[in-house]
Amino acid sequence: MVGFRFRDFVPEDQPEKGFESLFKLFMQLVTITSGDVGEALQWLNELDKQYGLTDDQYGMGNFIDDLKKKGYIDENEQERGAFKITPKTEQGIRKSALEEIFGKLKKSSTGNHRTPHTGQGDEQSTDLREFRFGDSLEQIQMSESIRNAQLNHGMDGDDFMLTEGDLEVRENEHKSQTSTVLMIDISHSMILYGEDRITPAKKVAMALAELVKQKYPKDFLDVIVFGNDAWQIEVKDLPYLQVGPYHTNTVAGLELAMDLLRKRKTPNKQIFMITDGKPTCLKEGNGYYKNSFGLDRKVVNKTLNIAAAARRVKIPITTFMITSDPYLQKFVEEFTEVNQGKAYYSGLQGLGHLVFEDYKKNRRKTL
């Protein structure tokens, strides 16, 4: 529990009892404990002792049995008597994060990004135009076309003439795909001074992943973490993410992000970076150059250089700086100006909303 700061849990005057109420708390706790079921259940037991979350009709043992029956936890084969969360729980955590951070979202059947352009697409627009070679038969609007034929050729006798020039088609809205790389800072500063910043960052990442899966299934989302080095992780690994004894190698994260985006053939590419600290580390050969005191000129210049390189290949970087330190904000402003990207300065509570609003805006970007 070292590295976390907790507030008093203040339940309702008459707390709800039963599986659903306990399950909501369990999902929050298992996120904070990075997927450690045993630790989450211990915390839940402590809350139960203090606030009477269970009663004689439904106890903690019943809740654990229900978790197993419903497929949320399994026996850990490597450790007898221990439990692990299942893929069903991993998806449930992502959905819970989506609801908590982004609110209730309407589902979309297509999941592509709207643009002002027309062409071959999945959804019809309200615009009509003359038929052109290559248009599909499904696009022809028969009522409008027959009306044009009547106006152009008349209805003399039994003769009815319909020519190519009479045909009208309805445009399909052109849709675009977006490739996004989400970078998550897992350096030690994410739990420094007793503040748990990694849990909100994980929730944002899980919510974003679930948003893409539900509303934009044709998009690409890659997730990477960075500390002394940077490496790619799977979406299913997000609940288990933990902070390490790392410095902040922003350059390594951005280099990996750009490498991943180069492999994508989509026209829109972008990087989201969630961090709470300044860059403090560079990889040099087999070792590391580190300096946590102030803004090191060598580290800063290398970071600004890669921001400029991303701008040259038209990859905007949106930085979500979860700190209010004016000294660090000045660096982020310079970084953003070099990249011509975007930056948001937010406390932990507002982080999710900013990610959602900006992500939605970028997804509707004109091609």
Side-chain angles (χ1 to χ4, degrees):
M1 304 219 337
V2 176
F4 295 97
R5 178 181 296 169
F6 298 95
R7 296 180 297 177
D8 289 338
F9 174 72
V10 183
E12 301 292 333
D13 293 338
Q14 293 183 341
E16 247 183 287
K17 293 179 172 62
F19 178 81
E20 290 301 327
S21 58
L22 290 173
F23 185 66
K24 291 176 183 178
L25 280 173
F26 173 76
M27 294 294 272
Q28 293 286 338
L29 292 173
V30 84
T31 302
I32 295 172
T33 61
S34 299
D36 190 326
V37 175
E39 189 177 1
L41 290 174
Q42 286 178 7
W43 289 5
L44 195 57
N45 268 301
E46 289 300 319
L47 291 173
D48 182 29
K49 289 178 184 178
Q50 294 183 51
Y51 302 107
L53 303 179
T54 63
D55 54 26
D56 293 341
Q57 282 71 44
Y58 193 87
M60 196 60 64
N62 300 119
F63 176 66
I64 295 172
D65 287 340
D66 283 345
L67 285 175
K68 290 189 287 186
K69 291 176 183 177
K70 295 175 183 291
Y72 289 108
I73 61 174
D74 278 336
E75 295 280 350
N76 193 331
E77 297 177 359
Q78 299 177 351
E79 190 176 346
R80 181 173 295 180
F83 299 106
K84 62 180 180 179
I85 62 176
T86 63
K88 181 179 180 179
T89 306
E90 294 168 359
Q91 184 181 24
I93 292 173
R94 294 199 303 270
K95 288 184 177 179
S96 177
L98 177 63
E99 292 174 0
E100 178 184 346
I101 294 174
F102 297 136
K104 302 291 185 180
L105 297 175
K106 294 181 180 179
K107 292 184 179 180
S108 168
S109 59
T110 57
N112 291 335
H113 310 304
R114 298 178 183 274
T115 76
H117 303 287
T118 55
Q120 292 183 347
D122 299 326
E123 186 175 319
Q124 287 190 334
S125 72
T126 57
D127 298 328
L128 295 173
R129 61 167 173 79
E130 293 181 357
F131 177 86
R132 291 197 295 259
F133 178 77
D135 290 332
S136 65
L137 293 177
E138 291 80 6
Q139 288 180 261
I140 297 175
Q141 300 300 296
M142 294 308 299
S143 297
E144 287 79 1
S145 300
I146 293 173
R147 183 188 61 194
N148 291 338
Q150 292 174 338
L151 294 174
N152 295 334
H153 312 295
M155 290 290 289
D156 296 334
D158 296 329
D159 295 331
F160 173 74
M161 181 180 294
L162 178 68
T163 66
E164 182 178 332
D166 301 323
L167 298 178
E168 282 194 26
V169 300
R170 191 175 298 279
E171 288 280 19
N172 284 338
E173 289 184 348
H174 180 72
K175 301 292 188 71
S176 67
Q177 287 180 303
T178 297
S179 294
T180 301
V181 174
L182 176 63
M183 294 173 51
I184 307 171
D185 184 352
I186 59 168
S187 64
H188 181 63
S189 62
M190 294 294 278
I191 55 169
L192 204 58
Y193 311 120
E195 288 190 359
D196 176 17
R197 298 170 180 171
I198 189 63
T199 297
K202 284 195 296 185
K203 286 184 178 181
V204 168
M206 290 187 290
L208 182 60
E210 195 65 16
L211 175 66
V212 171
K213 181 179 179 181
Q214 288 189 12
K215 289 183 69 68
Y216 305 97
K218 297 181 182 180
D219 275 12
F220 299 100
L221 175 67
D222 295 297
V223 184
I224 65 176
V225 294
F226 63 105
N228 290 351
D229 297 288
W231 60 95
Q232 188 174 8
I233 65 172
E234 300 293 332
V235 170
K236 65 181 179 64
D237 298 326
L238 286 171
Y240 309 100
L241 201 59
Q242 292 180 308
V243 169
Y246 308 125
H247 287 69
T248 307
N249 192 343
T250 307
V251 169
L254 291 172
E255 286 177 341
L256 177 57
M258 290 176 65
D259 286 343
L260 292 172
L261 289 174
R262 287 190 189 100
K263 299 174 183 178
R264 301 298 188 189
K265 303 304 180 183
T266 54
N268 284 345
K269 301 177 182 183
Q270 60 187 346
I271 298 172
F272 286 166
M273 179 169 63
I274 303 175
T275 181
D276 73 332
K278 58 186 179 295
T280 60
C281 178
L282 294 173
K283 186 73 179 291
E284 291 188 334
N286 295 324
Y288 299 93
Y289 176 87
K290 304 174 184 177
N291 183 4
S292 299
F293 301 97
L295 288 169
D296 186 285
R297 179 177 299 178
K298 182 175 181 179
V299 178
V300 167
N301 288 342
K302 191 73 180 289
T303 307
L304 295 178
N305 287 341
I306 196 168
R311 182 197 65 206
R312 287 193 291 271
V313 294
K314 299 181 179 179
I315 298 177
I317 303 169
T318 301
T319 305
F320 300 91
M321 179 66 80
I322 37 183
T323 180
S324 56
D325 188 339
Y327 183 65
L328 297 180
Q329 287 183 7
K330 185 176 180 182
F331 162 72
V332 175
E333 287 172 2
E334 185 177 3
F335 176 88
T336 304
E337 183 179 358
V338 169
N339 175 255
Q340 293 296 295
K342 296 179 181 178
Y344 294 95
Y345 311 97
S346 170
L348 300 181
Q349 299 302 318
L351 182 61
H353 177 72
L354 289 175
V355 172
F356 172 69
E357 291 297 332
D358 191 59
Y359 188 68
K360 191 174 183 180
K361 186 183 298 183
N362 274 286
R363 294 170 69 88
R364 298 174 70 90
K365 181 179 178 182
T366 302
L367 291 174

